[in-house]
Amino acid sequence: MSYSTTAIAHPNVALIKYWGKSNLTENIPSTPSISITLSKLETKTTIVEDDFDTIWINQKKINDEKILRFLSQIREKTGIATIKIETENNFPTGSGLASSASGFAALATALNQHFSLGFTQSELSTIARKGSASSARSIFGGIVSLQGPSWKARSIEQDGEWPLRIIIAKTSSERKEISSSEGMKLTRETSPFYQPWVKEAQKDFDDCLSAIKNQDFEKLADLSEKSCLKMIGTMLSTSPSLIYWNPTTLACVHAIKKMRTAGKAVFFTTDAGPQIKAICTSESAEEVTKSLSNIVGPTNIIDCEIGGDARIV
Ligand code: PMV
């Protein structure tokens, strides 16, 4: 009798961003990155052996090329059977909340258990990276780094060691028109800012590692906002330009900047989408939530803590 296996993984938000790839076949980023894994938001993926590979996301059958390619890569290596994949996200899919990061991390974790593949977490992170590079980071909880030459993610701070909060302001539920993969390819090919971006990334990464080690919030805030804005700069200067922000995103950025100038421990970051992520200390969380609620409405606020590892349930 065929039995099923279910895994859960959390999305992550990058503080030091990756945008651009140096090797398309292996899906290797051109810049190192650092992220925080998010509690509360999760992807739950159940797999069961079936006659064909089929994919259901939020109860809708879809033909996802990226997932099918990922499955054939794993199948080539391990000979796994064909499967039915059922995935549920408790947050909007494909709108800049890293659903592909948690999605591939949950799928890799479920496959590992279901077919007794025996991969370590570190090996799973390499496997998940083939689906989506940010997914390598979602295998781990806490604050996570992803850098060469191995391009395996690792946890540099576990949850609880530095109790940061991540307050998400959802400014739109629409799917983005240009995926991250397509967008970063265009940036690499056309943005005059792409090479400087890649050149400065290692220093930003190293400085951020030391800010985290010293729990230096101000330094982390400066480095993270700069990394985000530099990435946005490469997006804006891409042809055709990639504008993922909307007017509400910008209103939230201004509100966060205002709180930061007034001395609150908070900073913003955004990804390939319009959602705002405010990172703050627990002391600042109430005011940050109030301020962002005034802009997007209380139902569009998600208050997260630092999340844990991808796991079997
Ligand atoms: O992992 P991908 O290929 O979906 O790209 C994610 C890129 C950003 O979210 C914009 C930045 C990052 O480092 O997560």
Side-chain angles (χ1 to χ4, degrees):
M1 198 182 65
S2 181
Y3 64 96
S4 66
T5 301
T6 301
I8 280 181
H10 301 283
N12 65 76
V13 54
L15 304 176
I16 298 297
K17 308 288 184 186
Y18 117 77
W19 187 251
K21 294 175 189 183
S22 67
N23 177 327
L24 291 180
T25 327
E26 290 297 312
N27 208 23
I28 294 181
S30 50
T31 59
S33 56
I34 298 178
S35 62
I36 302 190
T37 302
L38 305 174
S39 70
K40 213 178 267 183
L41 304 192
E42 59 186 38
T43 295
K44 192 171 176 184
T45 294
T46 299
I47 59 172
V48 62
E49 282 166 48
D50 207 348
D51 294 340
F52 307 98
D53 286 331
T54 50
I55 303 157
W56 297 74
I57 297 185
N58 296 334
Q59 281 132 38
K60 246 183 150 172
K61 191 173 176 192
I62 57 153
N63 193 13
D64 189 310
E65 291 293 329
K66 238 175 144 181
I67 299 178
L68 291 172
R69 212 170 36 241
F70 178 74
L71 281 180
S72 27
Q73 280 178 338
I74 297 190
R75 188 163 292 129
E76 238 170 63
K77 269 209 176 111
T78 62
I80 56 167
T82 46
I83 50 169
K84 176 180 184 189
I85 303 173
E86 284 175 296
T87 282
E88 297 283 338
N89 291 322
N90 69 354
F91 58 97
T93 304
S95 68
L97 285 177
S99 54
S100 65
S102 48
F104 283 108
L107 180 56
T109 304
L111 289 170
N112 194 35
Q113 170 79 13
H114 191 85
F115 294 106
S116 307
L117 302 178
F119 291 120
T120 61
Q121 266 187 311
S122 177
E123 288 164 339
L124 271 187
S125 118
T126 299
I127 291 168
R129 196 198 69 225
K130 306 264 170 85
S132 131
S134 56
S135 176
R137 302 185 309 234
S138 272
I139 293 291
F140 295 97
I143 303 182
V144 181
S145 68
L146 178 63
Q147 66 170 323
S150 74
W151 296 103
K152 286 176 164 70
R154 69 186 186 92
S155 192
I156 50 178
E157 280 250 340
Q158 276 301 332
D159 44 335
E161 286 174 33
W162 195 9
L164 297 173
R165 293 271 276 278
I166 307 94
I167 297 172
I168 299 172
K170 222 169 77 191
T171 67
S172 165
S173 292
E174 278 169 31
R175 281 189 82 96
K176 60 188 164 208
E177 281 169 21
I178 301 186
S179 71
S180 305
S181 300
E182 274 174 82
M184 60 180 83
K185 181 171 176 286
L186 284 173
T187 298
R188 186 165 57 87
E189 290 167 353
T190 65
S191 168
F193 298 159
Y194 183 70
Q195 287 311 331
W197 154 253
V198 173
K199 208 166 146 215
E200 288 178 21
Q202 187 65 45
K203 180 166 176 6
D204 291 345
F205 175 88
D206 293 339
D207 290 350
C208 188
L209 279 187
S210 88
I212 291 165
K213 196 164 156 236
N214 300 324
Q215 300 204 348
D216 183 341
F217 189 88
E218 269 309 297
K219 189 107 189 78
L220 182 69
D222 281 343
L223 288 162
S224 302
E225 287 191 351
K226 207 161 275 169
S227 175
C228 169
L229 292 173
K230 280 198 268 189
M231 178 185 74
I232 299 287
T234 70
M235 291 168 167
L236 294 176
S237 54
T238 294
S239 300
S241 63
L242 302 168
I243 306 179
Y244 289 112
W245 285 13
N246 63 34
T248 315
T249 316
L250 196 54
C252 292
V253 166
H254 282 301
I256 293 168
K257 273 174 93 74
K258 202 166 155 197
M259 284 185 278
R260 202 176 157 207
T261 309
K264 286 282 154 208
V266 59
F267 63 89
F268 66 85
T269 191
T270 70
D271 291 287
Q275 326 301 359
I276 278 280
K277 292 106 182 192
I279 321 290
C280 61
T281 56
S282 17
E283 295 79 42
S284 304
E286 198 181 323
E287 183 168 339
V288 172
T289 304
K290 211 165 123 204
S291 160
L292 296 179
S293 292
N294 285 339
I295 302 172
V296 298
T299 55
N300 287 314
I301 296 289
I302 313 167
D303 180 357
C304 300
E305 294 178 352
I306 299 187
D309 292 352
R311 61 200 178 274
I312 296 296
V313 288

